[in-house]
Amino acid sequence: MITTLLASILNMNHLLPSLITQYGSLVYIGLFAIVFIETGLVVFPFLPGDSLLFLSGSIAAMTAHSLNHIILIVLLSIAAIAGDTVNFEIGQRLSSHLTSPKWQRFIKPKYLHEAELFFKKHGSGAIFLGRFVPIIRTFIPFTAGVSKMHYRRFISYNILGGVAWVSVAVLSGYFFGNIPLVKAHFELIMLAIVLISLIPAMLMLLKRKGAKIDSNMEE
């Protein structure tokens, strides 16, 4: 999965400008689809998100290409919000099936209960901040749906998080993506964006692992 992610990031740097030259404004449809699928379908967490938005923003700053940063922010915010909403609905519809006996050997009722308690207490922050963490952002709305998070609360932070994530990533590319130093090391910076945004997820995993070890030692 990581290899696929890195390969897609490196290829996108050369592929996207070429597609824009060939197809012009039709590329907006492709960008919308990628963001929607990455956020909306839980089986596609490896698609590029932050790096694609940053790259799109940097291309929009170049007069040689037809992308517009305002259109990107509006269109891709809609894609991100719609994607999370679909993901939430899928989780909500599957929640009753996940509690059936045939699924309990894979997903313990205890974990579903813990997830439900988590989203009652920290759901708002998770929906908003999860936007900025690759892979995690694909699973959070699905888990929120499974955990039966209140829809009004979900949709409010879904909209805030979607607009904030797309705006920050696109505008970062628009204002900084064409600085000579950035352009000279574009691939490395794309990889750095992904790795830095993965740090919170890795810290959470380490913290959870440490808590399990402490619990086992106490027993």
Side-chain angles (χ1 to χ4, degrees):
M1 183 181 291
I2 294 175
T3 305
T4 305
L5 178 63
L6 296 181
S8 64
I9 293 166
L10 294 174
N11 291 333
M12 193 63 67
N13 183 28
H14 305 287
L15 180 61
L16 187 55
S18 175
L19 290 173
I20 294 169
T21 302
Q22 290 182 49
Y23 300 105
S25 297
L26 289 176
V27 170
Y28 284 120
I29 299 172
L31 295 174
F32 184 98
I34 292 173
V35 173
F36 176 81
I37 292 169
E38 193 237 0
T39 56
L41 300 179
V42 75
V43 294
F44 289 103
F46 51 84
L47 289 177
D50 306 279
S51 53
L52 180 66
L53 296 175
F54 185 90
L55 177 60
S56 300
S58 68
I59 291 174
M62 300 164 62
T63 54
H65 294 291
S66 59
L67 294 184
N68 178 278
H69 64 293
I70 301 299
I71 295 175
L72 282 170
I73 290 171
V74 173
L75 193 66
L76 300 184
S77 291
I78 293 170
I81 293 163
D84 261 28
T85 303
V86 168
N87 211 345
F88 178 86
E89 292 290 342
I90 292 171
Q92 204 169 45
R93 291 178 184 275
L94 288 178
S95 61
S96 58
H97 299 288
L98 295 177
T99 55
S100 64
K102 69 176 182 179
W103 283 99
Q104 286 185 9
R105 56 181 173 171
F106 303 107
I107 303 174
K108 295 181 180 179
K110 173 188 172 186
Y111 296 153
L112 290 175
H113 180 64
E114 286 178 353
E116 191 171 345
L117 291 176
F118 174 83
F119 276 97
K120 279 182 180 176
K121 190 175 181 181
H122 306 290
S124 303
I127 296 298
F128 182 85
L129 296 175
R131 282 288 190 182
F132 297 88
V133 186
I135 300 175
I136 295 294
R137 72 170 149 261
T138 307
F139 289 104
I140 280 183
F142 177 80
T143 310
V146 171
S147 304
K148 300 182 176 120
M149 183 180 179
H150 196 280
Y151 182 75
R152 282 190 182 179
R153 189 174 167 211
F154 165 78
I155 197 65
S156 299
Y157 286 90
N158 175 23
I159 293 170
L160 288 172
V163 173
W165 171 54
V166 171
S167 299
V168 168
V170 169
L171 291 177
S172 294
Y174 185 80
F175 289 113
F176 305 112
N178 291 297
I179 293 173
L181 180 64
V182 175
K183 288 180 72 175
H185 304 283
F186 202 82
E187 287 88 353
L188 290 175
I189 289 170
M190 291 294 97
L191 295 178
I193 289 171
V194 173
L195 292 174
I196 290 170
S197 54
L198 282 172
I199 289 174
M202 290 188 288
L203 290 175
M204 285 174 65
L205 286 173
L206 289 172
K207 186 177 179 181
R208 188 176 180 86
K209 196 170 183 180
K212 282 186 177 179
I213 292 171
D214 290 341
S215 178
N216 291 333
M217 288 179 67
E218 287 175 5
E219 290 176 2

